[in-house]
Amino acid sequence: MKKRNYLLDSEDRGGGNGFSVIADFDGSEEQLMDIEVGDTLPVLPLRNMVLFPGVFMPVSLGRLSSLKLAREAEKKNSYIAVVCQKKADTEYPGLEDLHRIGTVAKIVRTLEMPDQTTTVILQGSKRMELQELTASEPYLKARVKLLDEILPDKNDREFQALLEACKDLTVRYLRTSDYPQESSFAIRNINNPMFLVDFICTNLPLKKDEKIELLQIGALRERTYRLLEILNREVQLAEIKESIQMRAREDIDQQQREYFLQQQIKTIQDELGGSGQEQEIEEMRAKAEKMKWSEDIKKTFLKEVDKLERTHSQSPDYSVQLNYLQTMLSLPWGVYTADNLNLKSAERTLNKDHYGLEKVKERILEHLAVLKLKGDMKSPIICLYGPPGVGKTSLGRSIAAALKRKYIRMSLGGVHDEAEIRGHRKTYIGAMPGRIIKSLIKAGSSNPVFILDEIDKVSADRQGDPSSALLEVLDPEQNTTFHDNFLDVDYDLSKVMFIATANNLNTIPGPLLDRMELIEVSGYITEEKIEIARRHLIPKELEANGMKKNDIKFSKAAIEAIIENYTRESGVRELEKKIGKILRKSARQYATDGYFERTDIKPEDLYAFLGAPEYTRDKYQGNEYAGVVTGLAWTAVGGEILFVETSLSRGKGGRLTLTGNLGDVMKESAMLALEYIKAHASTLDIDEAIFDHWNIHIHVPEGAIPKDGPSAGITMATSLASALTQRKVKANLAMTGEITLRGKVLPVGGIKEKILAAKRAGIKEIILCEENRKNIEEIQEMYLKGLSFHYVKDIQEVFALALTDEKVADAIDFSIPQEKTEKKEE
């Protein structure tokens, strides 16, 4: 060896920032590896350090055995085996705790450090492999086997290119790290290929397992290839890290710049008489003194203001806290609008906006009357339920106008998050109060009329059940202390008049339904629809289509024709659309020709505007046939008449057939009626043999429309009795009622709609259950004109009223012909 130079960096022993040893070796690989050692060598185990051949490396010694080994080896100038432990925390390693591949080295120098530790400088010479341990005291000794290095040809250009690439990558890595500039200079000036590769392997902060892997590779070319792969990865990671640090530094610089500017603004504001933040806080405190708060709420507010004052304006918590305090100040605490306690004026307002709906108007006027007498009371929780288009939502606006209160509408259709009602806790980023509180802020008073629209459409999911949150809102005993999560203080909702609307009560949870007063808003009858069209819909559509009040007029017959032939609904939405269609066609004709061709719309004009009639109403068809009886039915779009037809045909066994898309309840009514007639055949003078030799078929026309319910029970029984006796049914008669197996007639619902359907169809007499008399008494006299009613308790009374003594023409002969039998001869 010609020259050895080494330099120890006292601050870093064996890896870290800066090379431990800056060395130069000017000689051949053969000189370095041409050493003679015995079969057995002392073993120096290292923690997380790997020594490569030809490289100087400082090592701090801590074990007593290692110190003893170092002193003897230095004194004798002998070689030692340097290996790395598999686990750094193993204090007394055995053969299984050591990596088998290591390096034969000499101790060049021993240094006593200022911190009372001992550091030795090792120079690696040649790779070796541990065979077996021969001694463990006073230090480890082992038999070793020297390993040969496979060196590339000196004229190998590809290997030279590999070395240059390793040099360049190492220098790039050093530039992006905190290594001193001398490190790059040292790398550039190492000329020996093997020493260059092993020097980079030793001093770069690679993983221990990767260093062991590199040491195990015997061929220098392959070791250089593997080192190049590792260097590529480390350089990319270092450059990414440097880029991230640069961006972070730029962000910090920007924040510092903004901070200094804010501080300058604050200083200027202080000179001018206080910062904007301080002024805002003082304004809040002044407003708090004027608020109608209880002592607890005022104390909570001032505590939160103090918290805001202590929070830095650049902190994210500042905007959250400020938003909370502004919400508290925006709420109408103790602010109420004066109610209109003039009952006659309120009644006029309700009647002006809505025709009919007597029960709802009556309930509102009752509330006003009690309020006038008592002076203060909790507002009712009302639920208006009924089919679409009957004016449930618009009724809320009329109620607000009648009471002269603020009006709020909140649609609950599709709401599935509990936070929509109760709000979020203010600790969350972007927290807001619930829609109840936000609506009250918008209204500006604590006693508005609050419409909870489509309460039956509320749904629950993993985010909570809003219908359960509404229990507190809609309970007069609880809503005096409504707790919103965002406010975190109680708010009084007892003065709010909540009006919920729903189409179907079955989807509303029972506890929620129990808290509300249920008022049914049933479908309008034709007469009511005519009045609604004349008073509200036609003026509204004339204005919407740019026409004056007297430009187009509708006769009463034309309106009725539109309702009967072009709409089928409970409400008036479709009627409004048809009126709008007529007016749009008139507007087009006026815009084209300059005049209205038809200024007075009559029934015969409807075809030109609306085309062919879309629906037809059933009309009474006479009583010329036995077994055909007129019944009354209720549908979601109003009352209808229906016909029950019974026919007989000869056949064995007396089979009963039911057709007409009937539901289970209606089928059971038919079977009940037949069984009753079989049991009482003698009272109707029916031969019991008929049931064995004749098949019975009951049909309800319009088979495509599903029909169900018990109200056709007496109609089916009368139809069967008429067919089996061939007696005519009384003319212009209809009936409705449920039948029992004992022949009792039970009451049914939808009486008002059924009565009006019978009147439209030309019916004169109606048979009802005695218990339905009260329903008839509730209907206005004008709708009952021209009708007579028969109230019954038993089906026999129905037969007496409905069946005449006159037989139909071509009556069936039920006599059983004698069967001819022939005896066969045996």
Side-chain angles (χ1 to χ4, degrees), residues 274-497:
S275 67
Q277 180 182 351
E278 291 173 355
Q279 289 175 3
E280 193 169 24
I281 290 171
E282 287 306 315
E283 287 175 8
M284 286 182 178
R285 286 200 173 100
K287 285 182 181 177
E289 293 299 324
K290 299 175 184 178
M291 298 296 288
K292 299 176 182 177
W293 280 337
S294 65
E295 284 301 317
D296 290 341
I297 296 174
K298 187 175 180 179
K299 185 178 178 182
T300 302
F301 180 83
L302 293 175
K303 182 181 176 183
E304 296 293 332
V305 170
D306 293 340
K307 184 178 177 182
L308 179 71
E309 197 170 20
R310 292 192 300 270
T311 307
H312 194 276
S313 60
Q314 298 302 310
S315 169
D317 292 336
Y318 183 82
S319 59
V320 174
Q321 191 71 6
L322 182 63
N323 182 33
Y324 171 75
L325 294 171
Q326 288 174 342
T327 303
M328 287 276 285
L329 290 170
S330 301
L331 272 167
W333 301 88
V335 177
Y336 303 103
T337 55
D339 285 331
N340 171 29
L341 299 179
N342 187 331
L343 268 63
K344 290 185 178 179
S345 173
E347 188 174 8
R348 279 196 301 272
T349 304
L350 291 171
N351 289 332
K352 178 186 173 185
D353 293 343
H354 286 81
Y355 182 82
L357 307 177
E358 303 301 331
K359 287 185 180 179
V360 188
K361 295 175 183 176
E362 185 180 347
R363 179 65 186 87
I364 300 305
L365 294 173
E366 285 172 1
H367 171 69
L368 279 178
V370 176
L371 197 61
K372 188 173 183 179
L373 291 175
K374 189 180 177 186
D376 182 29
M377 65 175 292
K378 292 178 181 178
S379 291
I381 314 290
I382 295 171
C383 179
L384 307 176
Y385 70 96
V390 295
K392 299 185 296 296
T393 304
S394 62
L395 190 61
R397 193 182 294 275
S398 298
I399 292 169
L403 298 175
K404 293 189 177 178
R405 289 190 181 188
K406 299 286 187 180
Y407 170 78
I408 302 172
R409 177 183 165 274
M410 174 178 163
S411 178
L412 295 174
V415 171
H416 55 82
D417 188 355
E418 183 188 345
E420 291 278 335
I421 309 299
R422 288 189 180 277
H424 307 82
R425 297 198 179 278
K426 69 174 186 282
T427 51
Y428 297 118
I429 294 173
M432 293 187 299
R435 289 172 67 183
I436 302 286
I437 295 297
K438 284 198 286 188
S439 297
L440 290 173
I441 293 173
K442 186 178 178 181
S445 79
S446 292
N447 65 336
V449 174
F450 204 123
I451 304 298
L452 297 171
D453 218 1
E454 310 292 355
I455 199 169
D456 56 329
K457 309 296 190 304
V458 173
S459 58
D461 69 355
R462 60 182 178 80
Q463 293 175 325
D465 184 0
S467 60
S468 298
L470 283 170
L471 293 177
E472 183 185 8
V473 177
L474 299 181
D475 191 338
E477 299 301 322
Q478 296 182 38
N479 64 11
T480 53
T481 55
F482 172 67
H483 189 87
D484 185 275
N485 289 329
F486 182 80
L487 284 183
D488 207 24
V489 293
D490 294 337
Y491 193 88
D492 185 4
L493 297 178
S494 63
K495 302 295 188 297
V496 179
M497 179 178 281

Side-chain angles (χ1 to χ4, degrees), residues 623-626 722 725-730 802-809:
N623 63 341
E624 299 303 317
Y625 299 95
S722 172
T725 59
Q726 293 295 293
R727 291 160 64 183
K728 283 186 176 182
V729 177
K730 191 174 182 180
L803 299 178
T804 66
D805 293 332
E806 183 183 356
K807 296 272 186 176
V808 297

Side-chain angles (χ1 to χ4, degrees), residues 74 102 108 199 202 319 331 451 526 549 578 648 693 787 818:
E74 186 180 22
V108 179
F199 186 74
T202 301
S319 59
L331 272 167
I451 304 298
T526 301
K549 185 176 180 181
K578 297 300 181 186
L648 305 172
H693 296 85
L787 294 174
Q818 294 292 324

Side-chain angles (χ1 to χ4, degrees), residues 1-25:
M1 298 183 186
K2 295 181 181 178
K3 182 174 65 175
R4 283 188 194 129
N5 296 317
Y6 57 84
L7 173 66
L8 174 65
D9 179 358
S10 62
E11 292 184 1
D12 181 22
R13 307 182 192 99
N17 296 333
F19 285 104
S20 302
V21 177
I22 298 173
D24 185 20
F25 172 76

